[in-house]
Amino acid sequence: MATKLIRAPKIIIIGAGVAGIAAAVTFKKAGFDDFVILEKGADVGGVWFWNRYPGLTCDVPSQLYQFGFAPKPDWSRVWATGPEIQRYHAEVVDKFGLREHVRLNSEVTDAVFDGRGWVVTVADGTELTADFVIAATGVLHHPFTPDLPGLDSFEGSVVHTARWDDSIGTAGKRIAVVGSGSTGVQVVSALQPDAVKLTQFARTPQWVLWAPMGAGQSPVLAKLLAASPELHGRVYAVSLWASGILADVALRPTWRRRALQRLAKLSLRAQVRNKSLREALTPDYQPLCKRQVISGTYYQAIQADNAELVTDKITEVTPTGIRTADGRDHDIDVIVFATGFHPHNYMRPMNLRGRDGLTIDEAWAKGPRAYRMTAIPGFPNLFTVLGPNSPTGSISLQYSAELTARYITQWLHRYAAGEVDTVEVTEQATARFNDAVAEAMGPTVWNTGCNSWYFTDQNTIDLWPFDRKTTTAMLTEPDDRDFLIGSPARCGAVAESTTV
Ligand code: NA7
């Protein structure tokens, strides 16, 4: 028998990226459409809106990097480019009628729990109220630029890859790329052909696994998938299953991990013949320990006549270039910082206050933590989607976001039925979960002795150490024993006082 719904929860979703879109569509499909999506950017898409640097490509195959509820048959490439992914997000937002719910250029500065619900303030001073807040604020959205001595004195152009500015113009210039992660590798490959000189400053070399990242998706496959949604569903299911093998490689030290690691080493040996360059490009840690970089073009680009790899430490930026520890001055017109993000900020620096005035900085004084990626003790009726410990290194983010959103939807149903007013995860359940995470992190490849953005200041690994089956089990049905549930004294009274 269907539950009688006596009130509609009013929801604020913060962020219109992958997590926010997944949450909004999931809520809408479940019949909850009293929501607003507050997005700080000028368009939807999250990282795919903010990142527009040359060469931007997703290192997850497109047939997997898509929402389960919005399969796209006709990706033009096996690994889609940033612009195509961004167009896809805009199309999904339109197709599912989310546009009317989205408020762009609306950065949330404050979200305060008032004992019953949330008061949310936007940068322009607008105040909104909600019964539930969903923080879908993402992981990699606060660019990190190193505070290099002399940077202010530099007379050329400076840009961070996550805030690309086309007006700079890089063709015919002497370009410095600082950083050797996934972004550094992509931007080096893209900018080298038209640069007069490209110098990459790589503090730590990374293993770069070869893959034909520019390969087109077959138009025949696109036609077949478009003609048969059932076949497309099967292809998606197989992609999810196959990604489980990669998760297993990360989680357990088996022959599969060793085989992939050998392939990464072979990628370097086979493509870089010059011994001293090869040595400079050889990391002193295991492949896959940092987020694995994948590229089919990088090693060619860095070996081009107009390219140079510099591994000496940057000591200072001068008005005309970059000085390194060996005393060398590198003349530069444009400095491109591919130096990553502050990855553990999540919704901060927002002034987020939960029960009894608890701030998120206080709650996370020992690093970001959430129960099963989604609930934080002290913050009733607030859930994160792709929050702390999200599986950025293993499971499909779209799958995880949709799963979490469905989990949250169950609380929305209970609120709507008048069963609960407030729901807050317990400290004990969160501690138990975090202990399980720490233990499961032991045999992961992320824990084999490298320094990566996965590590928090407290030296914990902010990733998800469980396989997809375990994840699905954890987020299928809420366990009431793990929550403090505030029930309405009288349903009628609640119905009368509802904000909806
Ligand atoms: P990453 O992977 O965090 O890489 C940042 C790079 O910047 C990395 O090579 C860092 O070297 C380097 N870095 C950072 N600070 C400095 C300073 N001060 N001097 C020199 N070099 C520095 O960011 P990406 O944008 O490449 O990728 C982020 C994720 O996006 C990626 O993992 C995918 O999930 C998609 P380090 O290794 O710390 O020595």
Side-chain angles (χ1 to χ4, degrees):
M1 196 178 71
T3 321
K4 189 166 172 245
L5 303 184
I6 63 167
R7 55 183 174 174
K10 197 169 168 183
I11 308 160
I12 291 177
I13 300 171
I14 307 174
V18 167
I21 294 171
V25 172
T26 306
F27 296 164
K28 209 166 182 186
K29 280 174 168 244
F32 301 112
D33 61 2
D34 188 356
F35 62 83
V36 56
I37 309 174
L38 300 174
E39 167 54 54
K40 72 177 175 184
D43 200 355
V44 300
V47 290
W48 301 106
F49 163 73
W50 291 104
N51 282 270
R52 290 178 295 108
Y53 62 82
L56 174 60
T57 307
C58 182
D59 58 12
V60 178
S62 327
Q63 285 301 339
L64 181 61
Y65 198 85
Q66 58 183 351
F67 298 108
F69 54 74
K72 177 174 160 64
D74 58 347
W75 290 103
S76 60
R77 286 168 47 167
V78 176
W79 287 272
T81 62
E84 188 170 14
I85 297 173
Q86 176 58 358
R87 280 197 300 279
Y88 167 71
H89 285 131
E91 281 161 22
V92 170
V93 164
D94 290 334
K95 179 174 173 195
F96 289 89
L98 302 185
R99 201 60 79 169
E100 66 195 68
H101 296 265
V102 180
R103 292 195 197 173
L104 299 172
N105 302 305
S106 297
E107 179 165 8
V108 173
T109 55
D110 301 69
V112 178
F113 184 70
D114 68 3
R116 290 190 61 84
W118 287 88
V119 180
V120 173
T121 311
V122 179
D124 66 6
T126 311
E127 241 181 46
L128 300 124
T129 58
D131 302 307
F132 287 86
V133 166
I134 310 300
T137 45
V139 186
L140 303 175
H141 63 115
H142 296 290
F144 166 73
T145 302
D147 188 14
L148 297 174
L151 185 56
D152 286 347
S153 72
F154 184 60
E155 286 165 359
S157 308
V158 178
V159 66
H160 189 286
T161 48
R163 295 291 179 274
W164 193 258
D165 177 357
D166 283 323
S167 71
I168 283 177
T170 50
K173 303 254 174 85
R174 294 165 301 179
I175 305 166
V177 174
V178 184
S180 53
S182 304
T183 305
V185 159
Q186 291 189 354
V187 85
V188 163
S189 304
L191 298 184
Q192 171 271 321
D194 294 328
V196 162
K197 167 112 199 238
L198 184 141
T199 311
Q200 184 187 21
F201 294 85
R203 181 167 75 174
T204 313
Q206 300 239 20
W207 294 106
V208 181
L209 187 66
W210 183 87
M213 297 287 284
Q217 183 192 281
S218 150
V220 176
L221 178 68
K223 275 197 185 131
L224 284 173
L225 297 179
S228 169
E230 198 201 331
L231 174 68
H232 204 171
R234 266 196 243 145
V235 168
Y236 185 63
V238 168
S239 306
L240 278 175
W241 170 82
S243 72
I245 298 173
L246 282 178
D248 181 63
V249 160
L251 302 183
R252 298 190 306 129
T254 62
W255 66 269
R256 290 185 190 154
R257 182 189 293 177
R258 288 189 293 278
L260 199 57
Q261 289 179 325
R262 269 202 287 275
L263 204 58
K265 291 180 180 173
L266 184 66
S267 297
L268 173 62
R269 263 207 315 279
Q271 294 179 84
V272 181
R273 292 282 171 212
N274 179 300
K275 195 159 173 270
S276 64
L277 180 62
R278 198 164 66 228
E279 274 169 11
L281 285 166
T282 305
D284 61 1
Y285 53 87
Q286 294 188 26
L288 304 164
C289 183
K290 283 176 181 264
R291 165 70 182 219
Q292 185 56 51
V293 179
I294 305 173
S295 173
T297 48
Y298 169 70
Y299 285 136
Q300 274 70 37
I302 200 65
Q303 290 177 91
D305 290 343
N306 65 340
E308 184 183 358
L309 178 78
V310 173
T311 53
D312 293 290
K313 188 174 181 295
I314 296 172
T315 50
E316 123 183 56
V317 179
T318 66
T320 54
I322 290 179
R323 186 168 297 151
T324 41
D326 56 355
R328 219 178 127 195
D329 278 313
H330 305 263
D331 292 334
I332 301 293
D333 301 313
V334 182
I335 300 178
V336 176
F337 282 110
T339 41
F341 301 84
H342 296 280
H344 312 291
N345 281 11
Y346 295 98
M347 47 284 208
R348 296 177 289 183
M350 183 192 303
N351 170 32
L352 179 60
R353 283 176 188 272
R355 186 169 41 78
D356 305 325
L358 178 73
T359 67
I360 193 68
D361 283 337
E362 287 162 355
W364 284 358
K366 292 184 184 159
R369 65 201 277 271
Y371 166 88
R372 301 183 182 182
M373 300 186 258
T374 189
I376 308 167
F379 294 82
N381 292 17
L382 178 134
F383 292 95
T384 50
V385 178
L386 299 186
N389 293 107
S390 283
T392 38
S394 47
I395 302 171
S396 153
L397 289 179
Q398 288 80 359
Y399 177 87
S400 309
E402 290 168 46
L403 182 69
T404 309
R406 286 196 296 274
Y407 179 88
I408 298 166
T409 303
Q410 298 184 52
W411 289 113
L412 300 180
H413 274 294
R414 291 172 69 176
Y415 176 91
E419 276 175 44
V420 305
D421 265 355
T422 57
V423 52
E424 175 191 339
V425 72
T426 65
E427 173 56 40
Q428 293 85 333
T430 307
R432 239 183 2 255
F433 170 73
N434 276 275
D435 288 347
V437 166
E439 193 186 335
M441 263 326 154
T444 67
V445 74
W446 312 308
N447 195 27
T448 53
C450 64
N451 177 24
S452 73
W453 64 259
Y454 297 153
F455 281 87
T456 65
D457 290 345
Q458 290 71 28
N459 220 27
T460 58
I461 300 176
D462 191 0
L463 281 178
W464 186 254
F466 307 111
D467 61 17
R468 196 163 59 90
K469 197 170 158 210
T470 309
T471 313
T472 308
M474 280 187 191
L475 288 166
T476 293
E477 198 179 334
D479 183 340
D480 280 9
R481 291 168 303 180
D482 291 346
F483 290 89
L484 302 167
I485 295 171
S487 308
R490 287 179 300 123
C491 282
V494 168
E496 280 158 28
S497 65
T498 178
T499 54
V500 178

